[in-house]
Amino acid sequence: MENKLFIYNTLSRKKEEFIPINPKHVGLYVCGPTVYGDPHLGHSRPAITYDILFRYLTHLGYKVRYVRNITDVGHLENDADVGEDKIAKKARLEELEPMEVVQYYSDRYHEYMDALNVRKPSIEPRASGHIIEQLQMVEDILKKGYAYESNGSVYFDVDKYNEQHNYGRLSGRNIEDMLSTTRDLDGQSEKRKSYDFALWKKAAPEHIMRWPSPFSDGFPGWHLECSAMSARYLGEEFDIHGGGMDLLFPHHECEIAQSTVAHGHTPARYWMHNNMITINGQKMGKSLGNFITLEQFFTGEHELLEQAYSPMTIRFFIMQAHYRSTLDFSNEALQAAQKGMERLLEGCAKMDKIKAGSQSDFNIAELSEKCYSAISDDLNTPILIAHLFEGVKWINTLVDKNASVTEDDLTALKLLMNTMVFDILGLKANQTQGGGNDALLSETVNLLLNLRVEAKANKDWATADKIRNELQTMGIVIKDTKDGFEWEIK
RNA sequence: GGUUCCUUGGCCGAGUGGCUAGGCAACGGUCUGCAAAACCGUGUACGGCGGUUCGAGUCCGCCAGGAACCUCCA
C-alpha cells in the first residue's frame, strides 16, 4: 500500500511529504520532561502525540529510533545569574540528593506514561549523563568563534551567528525585535547582548549540581542537552524533532543555532510542535500552578474534577483534537470522550460475533483508504476517529444481522479496526470488564445474577430488582442482554 | 509593547472556495416485566462589518474578544 505521510513542518510552516534521510530508518527526537514534579495533563500531550507518530512510522515499516530525553540539570529557576537549578532547589526542600529527586520523578513519569499506554522510547538519555558531550560542543562552538567566555560562563554570540545565518528562522522572529523586547534581567552584564544565551554557566558556591570544566565549575546551558544528545544518538542530521509549542522559542531556536555552528547545518529536517492543553482558556502549566496531575485525573481527587478519568479516557480525549490545536480541559469534554471511547472499544470487541455472508454491503477497502489518508495527513487523529465510528456503525449493523459482509471483507474490517484502534492510536481494552480480575468475585456475582435470571423466569420481579439494585450499590453495573447478562465493576 | 495564532451548532472538536465531519448531550424509535445498557434515526453552526468571487466559515481588509511566545515550562 502506498502511504505518503505528510507532516506540518514548523520550519517551512507548511505540510510536507515526509521523506526520511535513510529510506528504511527514521531518527526521531522529542524534548522530554524536566523531572522535578509529578506529570500533569500537559505532559501527556507530546507524549501521546509523538507516541502515535512513533507507532505509525513503525507500522509503515520504518525502523525508528525514538530518543526522548529526561532533563535533570540545566534549567534555571528564575533568571540567568541569580537563579538556582530547579532540581537542586527541589532537593534542598525535600532534603534529598538531587539524583534522588530525579529518580523519583522519572519513575513517576514512567509510571504514568505506562498507564497512558505510551510506548517507551528507544533511548531515554539524561542530560546529567552527557556532560562530556555538552562540554565538547561548547568548546567546539568557542573554537569556531561563535561563543565567548565571560566570568567563567560561556555565551553564544547571537549577533555573530546572525551575520551568516538566520537566528529566528524557526520561530519567525527577527533580531531587532528581540533586542527591544528581551527583558532586562539582573546579571545581564556578563552577556554582550541580552539575547545571547548560555552554553555553560559558572555555578554559585551553594549550587550542588556542578561539573568541572576548563571555564569554571558549573553546569551546561539551558538548550545544549538536546543538541548534544540528539547528535550523539541520531547523528548530526536526523529526520524529526518534536516538542511542545512553548519550546519553539527560545529552546528550539537555540538548538538550531548551536547545532548549525557545531555541525554545519540544521539538526533536524522536520520540526513538529504540539499545541497546549488549556484550562479555562489558559495554558495548563507548572508556572501558572493551574495544572492537574495525571494521578489526580486517575483518582478524581481534585476540586475541579467531577469524577475520576481512566488513562484511556485521557488518551482518547487528547486524540480527539488535532495535535496542533489547543485543547481545552473540561469535565463535560472528558465525559464525552469517555463515552465515545467506550463505544469504539465495545464496537471492536463485538467484531468476533459477526458471521460472514455471501456479499458485502460495505466498502471496507474505501474505509481503510480513508483511515490511512487521515492519519497520513499530519496525524489527523480526529478525522481518523470519525472514520472509525463509521466502522463501529457498520459493526453494529452487522451484529444485528441487518447487513452482511464476505469472509474476506470481515477479515479486512477486523484488521483495519484493530490496527487503527490498538496499534496506531494505542488504545487498550478495559481490563475490569466482565469481571475477569478476580475469579472468586466473578463466580459470586455470576451466581447472584443466575439467581436473578431464575427469579425473572418466575416473574419474581421483587427478588430480581433487589439483586440488581444491591449489586449496583456495591458498584457492580448489570446490563441485561438478549442471551443473559453482562456486568462490570465501575 | 513586539511576534504568531485562534473565534464553528447546547458542549467538545474536524474540515473545505460550491459536496453529511465525528463524539457527547437533546429529541424520536427498537429492545425490555420495568429500568439501565445497547442499537437505529433526527435537528441546530461557522465572532461582527465590509470586499474579492458565478459562489466564502473557507481568500483579503477592518473591528471585537481570546490565547501562546518574547522568563523555566510539554
Side-chain angles (χ1 to χ4, degrees):
Chain A
M1 75 193 114
E2 192 186 333
N3 288 302
K4 286 185 177 176
L5 172 61
F6 286 81
I7 288 176
Y8 181 88
N9 190 348
T10 309
L11 266 180
S12 64
R13 317 239 155 206
K14 281 198 287 255
K15 280 184 202 168
E16 295 177 11
E17 185 184 345
F18 174 68
I19 298 166
I21 295 167
N22 180 322
K24 295 252 188 287
H25 296 255
V26 176
L28 169 64
Y29 186 93
V30 173
C31 293
T34 305
V35 280
Y36 67 110
D38 263 345
H40 60 77
L41 184 61
H43 290 106
S44 59
R45 188 120 201 233
I48 289 169
T49 298
Y50 301 111
D51 184 49
I52 292 166
L53 179 65
F54 183 32
R55 287 166 176 272
Y56 187 50
L57 287 168
T58 305
H59 174 77
L60 289 179
Y62 292 113
K63 181 133 174 54
V64 185
R65 183 178 292 164
Y66 176 20
V67 181
R68 187 186 65 203
N69 69 302
I70 282 193
T71 298
D72 58 355
V73 65
H75 283 294
L76 298 179
E77 180 75 2
N78 278 313
D79 57 69
D81 281 359
V82 299
E84 58 184 327
D85 192 288
K86 277 186 175 168
I87 306 296
K89 180 177 180 180
K90 189 80 183 181
R92 198 157 60 235
L93 287 173
E94 299 187 359
E95 297 183 311
L96 297 167
E97 242 335 280
M99 275 302 146
E100 222 175 332
V101 174
V102 166
Q103 188 66 52
Y104 177 77
Y105 287 115
S106 300
D107 288 347
R108 297 282 284 176
Y109 183 74
H110 291 140
E111 188 185 325
Y112 287 101
M113 290 307 118
D114 285 348
L116 290 169
N117 208 23
V118 168
R119 284 176 62 189
K120 293 179 196 338
S122 327
I123 302 175
E124 192 170 51
R126 288 184 185 180
S128 64
H130 298 77
I131 302 296
I132 291 170
E133 287 85 345
Q134 295 181 73
L135 266 172
Q136 282 172 342
M137 218 167 150
V138 176
E139 290 185 50
D140 185 25
I141 294 168
L142 206 50
K143 203 180 299 167
K144 285 173 174 157
Y146 286 88
Y148 55 91
E149 204 178 330
S150 177
N151 193 26
S153 295
V154 180
Y155 293 97
F156 190 87
D157 189 341
V158 170
D159 276 341
K160 169 101 191 245
Y161 174 79
N162 202 48
E163 285 170 15
Q164 306 259 336
H165 305 93
N166 178 6
Y167 184 76
R169 179 182 167 207
L170 181 71
S171 57
R173 282 152 209 272
N174 70 63
I175 204 160
E176 294 82 23
D177 289 343
M178 277 185 248
L179 198 56
S180 58
T181 58
T182 307
R183 279 196 189 178
D184 263 342
L185 299 172
D186 289 338
Q188 293 282 21
S189 52
E190 281 185 4
K191 298 198 271 185
R192 290 180 191 163
K193 285 286 172 62
S194 56
Y195 44 62
D196 289 348
F197 56 91
L199 297 173
W200 186 261
K201 286 293 293 180
K202 181 181 172 179
E206 66 275 15
H207 206 103
I208 314 169
M209 296 188 97
R210 55 168 68 213
W211 290 265
S213 83
F215 325 107
S216 62
D217 274 14
F219 51 93
W222 322 345
H223 316 297
L224 205 55
E225 59 174 287
C226 292
S227 295
M229 295 190 295
S230 62
R232 159 105 191 233
Y233 297 112
L234 297 173
E236 292 178 359
E237 188 179 27
F238 55 96
D239 296 295
I240 305 170
H241 190 306
M245 262 183 198
D246 50 350
L247 299 177
L248 217 162
F249 188 88
H251 184 58
H252 293 157
E253 197 70 64
C254 295
E255 269 188 60
I256 288 177
Q258 291 162 352
S259 295
T260 301
V261 170
H263 306 136
H265 47 72
T266 306
R269 294 199 171 176
Y270 302 86
W271 289 77
M272 295 176 72
H273 291 94
N274 61 276
N275 214 319
M276 302 292 105
I277 289 178
T278 57
I279 179 163
N280 295 320
Q282 265 203 323
K283 173 182 163 184
M284 181 182 285
K286 194 90 180 148
S287 35
L288 287 165
N290 60 356
F291 59 89
I292 303 176
T293 66
L294 290 170
E295 181 178 48
Q296 288 166 333
F297 274 103
F298 300 167
T299 61
E301 281 161 24
H302 188 281
E303 55 176 3
L304 292 175
L305 298 178
E306 288 168 10
Q307 59 167 89
Y309 299 98
S310 74
M312 285 306 105
T313 300
I314 300 293
R315 189 171 175 113
F316 192 77
F317 171 66
I318 285 172
M319 297 190 300
Q320 264 197 317
H322 187 88
Y323 77 90
R324 281 191 288 113
S325 302
T326 55
L327 173 59
D328 199 52
F329 153 82
S330 72
N331 281 285
E332 268 186 304
L334 277 166
Q335 284 156 10
Q338 181 181 339
K339 296 216 170 151
M341 177 195 67
E342 283 167 1
R343 200 157 83 83
L344 180 62
L345 289 177
E346 277 167 26
C348 289
K350 274 193 268 188
M351 287 192 292
D352 288 336
K353 294 184 183 168
I354 300 170
K355 299 268 185 295
S358 55
Q359 55 157 54
S360 283
D361 295 324
F362 303 112
N363 190 337
I364 311 293
E366 189 185 65
L367 183 68
S368 174
E369 170 60 33
K370 283 182 182 171
C371 287
Y372 276 98
S373 68
I375 191 72
S376 298
D377 182 15
D378 195 30
L379 304 181
N380 199 327
T381 52
I383 294 286
L384 170 59
I385 289 169
H387 292 320
L388 293 175
F389 275 111
E390 177 85 12
V392 169
K393 193 177 280 188
W394 293 359
I395 289 165
N396 288 328
T397 309
L398 289 165
V399 170
D400 290 347
K401 300 190 172 68
N402 291 325
S404 81
V405 271
T406 61
E407 190 73 50
D408 284 355
D409 272 352
L410 181 58
T411 306
L413 179 64
K414 285 182 184 173
L415 178 69
L416 175 68
M417 294 300 289
N418 287 327
T419 300
M420 290 295 156
V421 173
F422 301 110
D423 296 351
I424 293 172
L425 292 180
L427 290 172
K428 57 183 179 188
N430 188 355
Q431 266 118 28
T432 63
Q433 211 144 17
N437 49 344
D438 183 332
L440 185 62
L441 173 70
S442 183
E443 282 178 39
T444 310
V445 175
N446 284 338
L447 174 66
L448 284 166
L449 289 177
N450 280 320
L451 286 173
R452 181 164 170 268
V453 171
E454 282 178 33
K456 280 169 68 175
N458 298 329
K459 298 202 193 297
D460 179 2
W461 311 129
T463 306
D465 289 355
K466 186 174 182 193
I467 293 171
R468 180 174 70 195
N469 296 341
E470 304 241 329
L471 282 175
Q472 205 118 26
T473 315
M474 288 186 249
I476 295 170
V477 180
I478 291 105
K479 297 177 191 173
D480 288 344
T481 61
K482 277 209 174 70
D483 16 84
F485 55 81
E486 283 174 7
W487 60 276
E488 63 178 320
I489 301 164
K490 270 286 177 208

